[in-house]
Amino acid sequence: MLKVDIDTKMKFMHGFSHKTRIQILECIKENEKTVSQIVEDIKGNQSNISQHLACLKGCGLIVGRQDGKYVYYRVRNQLVRDLLTMFDVVLEDVQNDIASCKSHID
C-alpha cells in the first residue's frame, strides 16, 4: 500500500474544502476554460475565482495552459475526474446522514 504523509494528504484534501473550489472543479471537469468563462459559469467574481484557481493549482488538482493572452484551466487528469465522480457516488449513499449531522458546521 502507498504511504502518503498525512500533512500532504490534508493539503491535497484542502482543495476540495470550499464550495467555490468544488464549483470550479465541476465547471472544468470535462472541458478546459478561461477564468472569464469560469466566472460566467459559476457567477463569481474574477478576483475570488483567481484565488481559488491558485489554490487548486497548488493542491495539484488542476493545470493551466497559456494560449496567447489567455490561460485555460482544466482538471489535471482522469484520476481527479474519477475522484470527483466517486465523491458523487459516495455522497448519494451518505447524503441523508450528512444532512442530519449535528456536528457539521457551515
Side-chain angles (χ1 to χ4, degrees):
M1 181 162 177
L2 238 60
K3 176 117 172 104
V4 178
D5 176 70
I6 194 77
D7 292 327
T8 303
K9 186 182 282 190
M10 289 305 303
K11 287 177 184 178
F12 171 76
M13 295 176 74
H14 177 75
F16 300 102
S17 68
H18 194 278
K19 180 180 178 178
T20 301
R21 289 193 291 272
I22 296 296
Q23 289 174 307
I24 291 169
L25 289 167
E26 291 295 333
C27 179
I28 62 174
K29 186 175 171 181
E30 300 300 329
N31 300 302
E32 64 180 11
K33 295 185 179 180
T34 65
V35 174
S36 298
Q37 291 170 316
I38 296 167
V39 166
E40 184 177 319
D41 286 355
I42 70 171
K43 310 289 189 261
N45 72 60
Q46 192 272 331
S47 176
N48 189 31
I49 299 298
S50 292
Q51 289 176 355
H52 286 293
L53 286 167
C55 176
L56 289 167
K57 196 170 181 185
C59 290
L61 298 173
I62 67 170
V63 293
R65 174 182 66 83
Q66 185 83 39
D67 187 7
K69 66 178 185 173
Y70 297 102
V71 177
Y72 290 84
Y73 292 96
R74 65 177 171 81
V75 171
R76 181 182 197 98
N77 57 31
Q78 187 60 47
L79 289 172
V80 176
R81 278 190 288 283
D82 291 346
L83 185 55
L84 290 168
T85 300
M86 183 57 66
F87 283 150
D88 292 341
V89 170
V90 172
L91 283 169
E92 189 173 324
D93 183 49
V94 299
Q95 65 187 340
N96 289 335
D97 295 324
I98 292 169
S100 64
C101 179
K102 303 269 190 259
S103 301
H104 181 71
I105 300 170
D106 287 328

